[in-house]
């Protein structure tokens, strides 16, 4: 087990929003996770915050589990999975939040799994002119990029500052390009200086090109997800 995966134990907790399966240690939480929002107090919410319907004994108020605002049943009727808050079951969300959560489902169900499965690249560290063949993958706790070859590296996701996808095949008149590699810039803990790591798919590994391209595409989406796009 790598150092980045040594504290993966989880516990089941109950909150007003529902059951959540969360890491036992806060330091082990996923960098893609979200904290539960504070709920708008009932006394501050006499009307639906979407349609302005007045709450009464018939029209009850409901809190969106993602934004914490008050809505009537019509405006907050959908129950949608919310993996970024570690909910075990789908939870009630307003229409706007439900749409965001539905879009994130692909990210969690597909992209993160691709990254955790890993792919093979030639990795170059810093300004070195030597590269090493390594298997690159996302750790099970989603906190580290793990690189295994003759050497072993781990980069904490939250320390990555920029992700640049390297492509080839683009022409000025238009045309398809394909991802062939990536350059990461990240900070080593305890240092403010940026370190660079470059990795490219090897031409001799044609059987792995599709896997490598999928991994690079997923990594690009991860960088957007962390920026809240």
């Amino acid at each position: 087990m790598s150092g980045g995966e040594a504290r993966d134990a989880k516990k089941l907790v109950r909150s007003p929003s529902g059951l959540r399966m969360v890491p036992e240690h806060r330091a082990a939480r996923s960098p893609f996770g979200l904290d539960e929002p504070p709920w708008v107090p009932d006394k501050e919410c006499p009307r639906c915050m979407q349609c302005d319907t007045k709450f009464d004994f018939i029209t009850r108020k409901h809190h969106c589990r993602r934004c914490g605002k008050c809505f009537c049943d019509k405006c907050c009727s959908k129950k949608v999975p919310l993996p970024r808050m570690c909910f075990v079951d789908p939870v009630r969300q307003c229409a706007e939040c439900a749409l965001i959560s539905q879009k994130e489902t692909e990210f969690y169900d597909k992209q993160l799994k691709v990254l955790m499965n890993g792919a093979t690249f030639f990795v170059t560290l810093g300004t070195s002119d030597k590269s090493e063949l390594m298997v690159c993958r996302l750790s099970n706790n989603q906190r580290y990029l793990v690189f295994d070859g003759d050497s072993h590296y781990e980069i904490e996701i939250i320390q990555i500052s920029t992700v640049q996808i390297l492509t080839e095949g683009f022409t000025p008149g238009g045309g398809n390009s394909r991802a062939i590699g990536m350059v990461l810039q990240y900070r080593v803990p305890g240092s403010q200086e940026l370190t660079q790591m470059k990795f490219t798919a090897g031409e001799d590994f044609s059987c792995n090109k599709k896997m490598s391209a999928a991994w690079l595409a997923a990594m690009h989406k991860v960088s957007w997800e962390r920026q809240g796009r």
Side-chain angles (χ1 to χ4, degrees):
M1 180 179 292
S2 69
E5 298 177 345
R7 302 172 68 189
D8 284 347
K10 295 186 177 182
K11 60 182 178 181
L12 188 66
V13 299
R14 180 182 293 277
S15 73
S17 299
L19 287 173
R20 303 169 67 219
M21 185 66 75
V22 301
E24 284 192 356
H25 305 281
R26 185 173 178 81
R29 62 176 295 181
S30 167
F32 309 107
L34 294 174
D35 291 324
E36 285 188 82
W39 282 11
V40 174
D42 288 351
K43 63 182 180 181
E44 296 179 11
C45 188
R47 295 177 178 274
C48 174
M49 301 180 75
Q50 177 65 39
C51 70
D52 205 37
T53 297
K54 185 177 181 180
F55 295 125
D56 53 30
F57 288 111
I58 297 177
T59 305
R60 308 296 296 273
K61 64 184 65 175
H62 302 278
H63 285 85
C64 172
R65 272 48 176 175
R66 187 180 181 114
C67 68
K69 296 178 180 178
C70 284
F71 301 92
C72 66
D73 183 69
K74 182 179 179 181
C75 294
C76 195
S77 61
K78 293 186 177 181
K79 288 191 175 182
V80 179
L82 186 47
R84 293 191 72 180
M85 290 186 191
C86 303
F87 283 110
V88 175
D89 300 310
V91 290
R92 187 184 292 270
Q93 298 176 58
C94 67
E96 182 177 352
C97 287
L99 182 60
I100 295 172
S101 295
Q102 287 169 343
K103 290 181 178 179
E104 289 174 348
T105 297
E106 179 185 356
F107 173 74
Y108 270 82
D109 287 351
K110 296 181 180 180
Q111 311 305 331
L112 287 185
K113 288 181 180 179
V114 169
L115 291 177
M116 287 189 282
N117 286 337
T120 302
F121 297 93
F122 285 105
V123 178
T124 306
L125 186 63
T127 58
S128 173
D129 57 358
K130 296 182 179 180
S131 61
E132 180 179 341
L133 187 64
M134 308 187 85
V135 174
C136 309
R137 63 181 178 86
L138 184 68
S139 64
N140 291 336
N141 60 17
Q142 305 168 3
R143 295 188 64 232
Y144 294 84
L145 282 183
V146 180
F147 302 84
D148 281 310
D150 291 336
S151 305
H152 176 85
Y153 299 104
E154 292 185 9
I155 300 176
E156 195 168 8
I157 292 291
I158 61 173
Q159 299 296 336
I160 297 175
S161 59
T162 61
V163 175
Q164 178 188 359
I165 303 298
L166 305 176
T167 61
E168 70 174 10
F170 178 79
T171 60
N176 294 326
S177 62
R178 66 184 183 93
I180 60 170
M182 180 165 54
V183 176
L184 299 179
Q185 286 190 320
Y186 63 97
R187 287 184 172 82
V188 177
S191 172
Q192 293 301 314
E193 294 185 4
L194 290 175
T195 299
Q196 179 173 290
M197 178 178 281
K198 176 182 179 181
F199 38 107
T200 55
E203 290 300 321
D204 295 336
F205 295 88
S206 57
C207 61
N208 292 325
K209 281 184 179 180
K210 186 176 181 180
M211 185 181 299
S212 299
W215 197 93
L216 290 169
M219 189 64 197
H220 188 235
K221 290 185 178 181
V222 161
S223 66
W224 279 53
E225 185 72 18
R226 288 192 59 233
Q227 296 173 41
R229 298 185 184 181

